[in-house]
């Protein structure tokens, strides 16, 4: 698009080659930025180009063949967003500051009038800082009313301008940091170093990515580093930062084994806290806090006056920071959709504020959802006549077995070993697809371990042969099998063995019984008896359980009539299965 008044040309960059060709002019614009950040550098945009679902569509403004402004956008499905969103914590418009208003106006007009305008209907600008040129240009040009602005994440930081040594001494003297540092030192030799050379980082890169993926999965947050392409992009980013002398890769080792990492960097007089990770099995020892303490000590030799913790309001950041900025999400819809948000805001203002009315509306919503689900179930049932009897009558029964917790010899093949409570090992197997769990189950599995349960993994060489979970319970709840949260109360605490799985290739070898013997021996002297349950139709599990010496002692059943009627029953049974 050509602006005849200001003699400006706006061109849409649609390939990585066109973006890379602007490297020198890009860095010139970054140097002109009043608040430059490392994330605005071209390297972060290049790293974002590895996303196969993101196609470059970046408006660049030229004057007499010279680049004077660029907005690094890409198209994902029907939405425009920053190309570097997967890696960069801050994003902004790069341009000559004095001409930001006319440059941004020309860019938005060019996007609307381009031949590809039908490919998208939304512009989503995420992680825009409060001091960014983009927000300033929107306010000054009058375009601010066309965007919806939402406060996204706080960005805490430490400002050392008031006395660096005094602040560092104050933070590292915190009792929890000292306690965790002493506790970790009691476990072995702790060493800390900050690497600035990329060749020194390479041996740790795979472990760092794996720790990062597992740590985020345990907290229910996806990490793009579980894929190979983003890992290569991250390695390239580290290489670029090291070439500029800005890389700061911190390594904390315990007895020579990496306990925690931090991928950080410097830019100007700012030190960035970017991607930390730690060995998940050392959770209780807080190696991450020990790393923060050592990192603060190392900052005494850095010229940085600000430690920027970037986006996120994690609890640990608030303990070390003395200031915070904010990032925003700027959202703009094209075409008729731009009228929806103002309409929704007006409707929201008109809604009654009476609490009882709002509660009634929520109940009406839930009832509508339940009605729709019931109707869908009936329609599905009508298509499968073989399932009609289940609509009128169904009965589910679970048999509960019990055995004493005794020490007994467990004979396993010489190439087999049992790994207990090593969550990092289990998560690594999950990510490799060697278990029945998937990536979304990692958070649930980690919560089990944190609640005091134990996981037992039988490994045959590099293959997973069996997985079993155990924990001490005072009641047995078979909600998944029976569809009801009702439970069987136990007279005393028992070990409950649950969620057992044998690899298909290993079934029929008696591994299940050996694992049950192992778990009973593991709890010998702690609890008197162990229990396990399964549905009465699972004959293979029943044979393996009884082979391990377990005997039937109770049965739980749930009977349904016409889907609605329910009858719960629990009874004691003998070894033969009779009452």
């Amino acid at each position: 698009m050509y602006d005849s008044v200001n003699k400006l040309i706006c061109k849409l960059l649609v390939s990585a080659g066109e973006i890379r060709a602007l490297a020198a002019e890009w860095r010139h614009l970054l140097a002109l930025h009043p608040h430059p950040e490392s994330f605005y550098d071209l390297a972060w945009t290049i790293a974002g180009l590895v996303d196969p679902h993101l196609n470059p569509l970046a408006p660049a403004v030229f004057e007499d063949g010279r680049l004077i402004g660029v907005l690094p956008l890409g198209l994902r499905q029907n939405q425009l967003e920053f190309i570097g969103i997967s890696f960069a914590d801050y994003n902004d418009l790069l341009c000559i500051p004095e001409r930001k208003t006319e440059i941004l106006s020309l860019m938005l007009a060019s996007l609307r009038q381009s031949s590809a305008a039908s490919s998208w209907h939304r512009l989503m600008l995420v992680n825009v800082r409060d001091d960014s040129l983009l927000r300033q240009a929107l306010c000054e040009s009058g375009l601010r009313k066309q965007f919806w602005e939402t406060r996204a994440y706080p960005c805490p930081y430490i400002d050392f301008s008031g006395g660096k040594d005094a602040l560092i001494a104050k933070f590292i003297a915190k009792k929890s940091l000292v306690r965790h540092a002493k506790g970790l030192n009691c476990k072995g030799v702790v060493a800390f170093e900050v690497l600035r050379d990329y060749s020194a980082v390479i041996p740790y890169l795979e472990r760092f990515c794996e720790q990062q993926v597992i740590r985020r999965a345990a907290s229910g947050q996806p990490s793009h580093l579980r894929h190979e392409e983003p890992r290569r992009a991250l390695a390239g980013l580290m290489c670029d930062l090291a070439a500029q002398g800005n890389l700061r890769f911190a390594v904390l080792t315990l007895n020579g084994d990496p306990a925690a990492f931090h991928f950080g960097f410097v830019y100007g007089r700012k030190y960035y806290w970017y991607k930390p990770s730690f060995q998940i099995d050392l959770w209780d020892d807080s190696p991450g806090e020990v790393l923060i303490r050592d990192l603060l000590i190392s900052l005494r030799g850095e010229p940085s006056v600000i430690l920027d913790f970037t986006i996120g309001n994690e609890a640990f950041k608030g303990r070390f920071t003395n200031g915070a900025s904010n990032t925003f999400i700027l959202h703009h819809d094209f075409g008729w959709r731009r009228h929806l948000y103002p309409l929704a805001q007006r409707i929201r203002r008109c809604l009654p504020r009476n609490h009882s009315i709002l509660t009634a509306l929520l109940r009406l919503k839930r009832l509508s959802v339940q009605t729709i689900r019931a109707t869908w179930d009936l329609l599905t049932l009508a298509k499968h006549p073989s399932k009609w009897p289940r609509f009128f009558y169904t009965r589910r029964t679970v048999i509960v077995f019990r055995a004493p917790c005794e020490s007994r010899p467990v004979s396993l093949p010489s190439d087999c070993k049992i790994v207990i409570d090593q969550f990092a090992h289990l998560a690594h197997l999950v990510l490799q697809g060697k278990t029945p769990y998937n990536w979304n189950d990692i958070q649930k599995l980690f919560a089990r371990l944190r609640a005091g349960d134990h996981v037992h993994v039988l490994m045959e060489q590099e293959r997973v042969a069996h997985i079993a979970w155990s924990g001490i319970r005072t009641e047995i709840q078979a909600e998944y099998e029976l569809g009801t949260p009702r439970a069987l109360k136990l007279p005393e605490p028992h070990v409950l063995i649950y969620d057992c799985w044998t690899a298909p290739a290993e079934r029929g070898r008696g591994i299940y019984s050996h694992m049950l013997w192992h778990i009973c021996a593991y709890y010998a002297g702690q609890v008197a008896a162990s229990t396990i349950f399964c549905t009465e139709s699972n004959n293979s599990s029943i044979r393996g359980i009884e082979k391990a010496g377990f005997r039937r002692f109770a049965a739980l059943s749930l009977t349904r009539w016409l889907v609605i009627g329910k009858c719960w029953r629990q009874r004691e049974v003998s070894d033969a299965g009779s009452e």
Side-chain angles (χ1 to χ4, degrees):
M1 182 177 178
Y2 179 67
D3 183 355
S4 58
V5 178
N6 298 309
K7 298 182 179 180
L8 303 179
I9 297 177
C10 185
K11 178 184 177 182
L12 295 180
L13 309 177
V14 295
S15 69
E18 291 180 306
I19 295 176
R20 287 191 176 96
L22 301 176
E25 295 170 290
W26 191 297
R27 292 191 175 91
H28 174 68
L29 292 178
L30 178 57
L32 296 177
H33 199 291
H35 305 286
E37 300 285 347
S38 178
F39 296 110
Y40 302 161
D41 190 75
L42 180 62
W44 296 89
T45 299
I46 297 300
L49 290 172
V50 301
D51 190 340
H53 305 292
L54 189 69
N55 300 313
L57 196 64
V61 177
F62 296 86
E63 183 180 43
D64 298 329
R66 180 174 57 94
L67 181 70
I68 63 171
V70 61
L71 189 61
L73 299 180
L75 179 63
R76 188 192 304 274
Q77 295 180 349
N78 55 8
Q79 177 173 290
L80 284 173
E81 58 188 41
F82 283 112
I83 294 176
I85 190 172
S86 300
F87 291 92
D89 284 357
Y90 303 143
N91 298 287
D92 197 10
L93 163 72
L94 288 180
C95 65
I96 298 175
E98 296 78 14
R99 306 180 65 180
K100 56 183 177 291
T101 303
E102 59 178 313
I103 291 174
L104 180 61
S105 300
L106 180 60
M107 288 177 173
L108 295 178
S110 179
L111 287 172
R112 292 192 190 98
Q113 298 176 19
S114 68
S115 58
S118 58
S119 303
W120 71 84
H121 61 74
R122 178 172 297 166
L123 177 61
M124 183 72 73
L125 305 177
V126 180
N127 296 340
V128 179
R129 285 178 58 91
D130 46 11
D131 58 0
S132 65
L133 286 176
L134 184 58
R135 290 188 74 236
Q136 296 174 19
L138 288 175
C139 293
E140 295 176 11
S141 64
L143 297 172
R144 172 65 185 83
K145 296 180 181 179
Q146 299 181 19
F147 283 78
W148 317 335
E149 185 178 275
T150 306
R151 191 184 299 271
Y153 302 103
C155 305
Y157 59 83
I158 304 177
D159 188 351
F160 294 116
S161 57
K164 190 173 186 178
D165 291 339
L167 277 174
I168 291 176
K170 172 186 173 183
F171 289 133
I172 65 176
K174 288 181 176 292
K175 292 183 179 179
S176 61
L177 291 187
V178 176
R179 183 178 70 252
H180 291 141
K182 289 182 178 179
L184 199 62
N185 276 282
C186 290
K187 290 199 166 188
V189 179
V190 178
F192 173 82
E193 63 176 334
V194 178
L195 307 176
R196 305 187 182 193
D197 186 5
Y198 176 68
S199 60
V201 175
I202 293 176
Y204 297 108
L205 195 53
E206 191 66 26
R207 289 289 299 274
F208 165 72
C209 291
E210 185 176 312
Q211 286 187 10
Q212 168 73 210
V213 170
I214 294 174
R215 183 188 72 86
R216 291 183 65 87
S219 60
Q221 300 173 344
S223 173
H224 59 285
L225 293 180
R226 65 183 187 272
H227 303 300
E228 189 62 31
E229 286 295 332
R231 291 191 181 192
R232 284 201 293 264
L234 187 73
L237 195 57
M238 289 183 179
C239 186
D240 288 342
L241 290 169
Q244 300 169 15
N246 295 335
L247 180 64
R248 301 290 186 272
F249 190 84
V251 183
L252 182 76
T253 59
L254 176 62
N255 296 325
D257 190 52
F261 295 106
H262 173 246
F263 168 26
F265 46 90
V266 297
Y267 186 81
R269 305 195 70 187
K270 184 181 285 190
Y271 194 113
Y272 291 88
W273 174 271
Y274 182 52
K275 281 192 183 299
S277 70
F278 61 88
Q279 179 68 17
I280 198 74
D281 291 326
L282 296 174
W283 179 286
D284 293 328
D285 299 301
S286 300
E289 290 205 359
V290 178
L291 182 139
I292 291 176
R293 183 176 184 272
D294 291 336
L295 186 65
L296 287 171
I297 295 174
S298 71
L299 284 178
R300 288 172 174 166
E302 293 278 355
S304 307
V305 295
I306 290 179
L307 173 57
D308 189 349
F309 281 93
T310 64
I311 60 172
N313 57 349
E314 292 91 341
F316 76 91
K317 293 181 179 179
R319 300 172 53 205
F320 302 104
T321 56
N322 57 9
S325 56
N326 289 293
T327 59
F328 296 85
I329 299 174
L330 300 174
H331 180 189
H332 174 66
D333 280 329
F334 292 90
W336 59 270
R337 293 177 180 84
R338 68 181 184 275
H339 302 293
L340 293 180
Y341 182 74
L343 179 62
Q345 291 294 91
R346 293 192 189 97
I347 294 174
R348 185 178 180 182
R349 286 194 293 267
C350 294
L351 284 176
R353 298 296 179 183
N354 189 298
H355 180 71
S356 59
I357 295 178
L358 292 176
T359 304
L361 291 173
L362 291 175
R363 288 179 179 174
L364 179 62
K365 175 187 174 183
R366 286 195 295 269
L367 181 61
S368 301
V369 171
Q370 293 173 1
T371 304
I372 292 172
R373 286 177 179 173
T375 305
W376 178 258
D377 290 341
L378 290 174
L379 292 174
T380 304
L381 188 65
K383 297 179 181 179
H384 301 86
S386 61
K387 297 182 179 180
W388 288 358
R390 300 181 187 179
F391 177 75
F392 299 100
Y393 175 83
T394 57
R395 181 179 181 181
R396 300 176 182 175
T397 302
V398 162
I399 303 174
V400 185
F401 301 82
R402 179 171 57 187
C405 289
E406 300 174 344
S407 282
R408 63 180 77 181
V410 180
S411 58
L412 292 172
S414 59
D415 57 349
C416 291
K417 65 176 181 178
I418 297 177
V419 181
I420 303 175
D421 292 347
Q422 291 189 16
F423 181 76
H425 176 258
L426 175 62
H428 181 69
L429 296 173
V430 172
L431 295 174
Q432 289 183 331
K434 296 182 178 180
T435 70
Y437 310 112
N438 56 42
W439 184 89
N440 295 319
D441 295 324
I442 293 180
Q443 183 182 16
K444 177 186 69 176
L445 302 179
F446 184 66
R448 289 180 182 178
L449 285 176
R450 297 298 298 166
D453 286 4
H454 301 277
V455 61
H456 312 259
V457 182
L458 176 62
M459 299 293 299
E460 185 173 6
Q461 295 180 354
E462 297 299 323
R463 302 189 306 274
V464 181
H466 187 89
I467 299 176
W469 289 81
S470 64
I472 298 176
R473 302 285 192 273
T474 57
E475 63 180 21
I476 295 177
Q477 190 178 63
E479 183 175 1
Y480 177 79
E481 289 79 4
L482 298 178
T484 177
R486 299 188 65 173
L488 169 67
K489 301 292 183 181
L490 297 172
E492 59 181 353
H494 281 51
V495 174
L496 176 64
I497 305 171
Y498 66 98
D499 204 2
C500 300
W501 174 83
T502 305
E506 309 298 331
R507 292 172 186 172
R509 298 175 51 192
I511 289 177
Y512 187 22
S513 301
H514 283 84
M515 282 296 287
L516 296 182
W517 292 338
H518 156 75
I519 295 174
C520 290
Y522 181 78
Y523 284 95
Q526 303 179 45
V527 183
S530 58
T531 57
I532 189 172
F533 62 85
C534 69
T535 57
E536 64 175 352
S537 61
N538 193 346
N539 295 321
S540 58
S541 290
I542 292 174
R543 287 195 299 270
I545 292 170
E546 291 180 338
K547 182 180 177 182
F550 284 75
R551 296 292 177 261
R552 308 183 187 203
F553 85 98
L556 310 176
S557 61
L558 182 72
T559 306
R560 292 174 180 265
W561 296 277
L562 295 176
V563 180
I564 302 173
K566 297 180 182 180
C567 179
W568 165 265
R569 186 184 181 194
Q570 62 184 53
R571 67 184 190 277
E572 294 185 1
V573 297
S574 64
D575 291 348
S578 60
E579 295 184 10

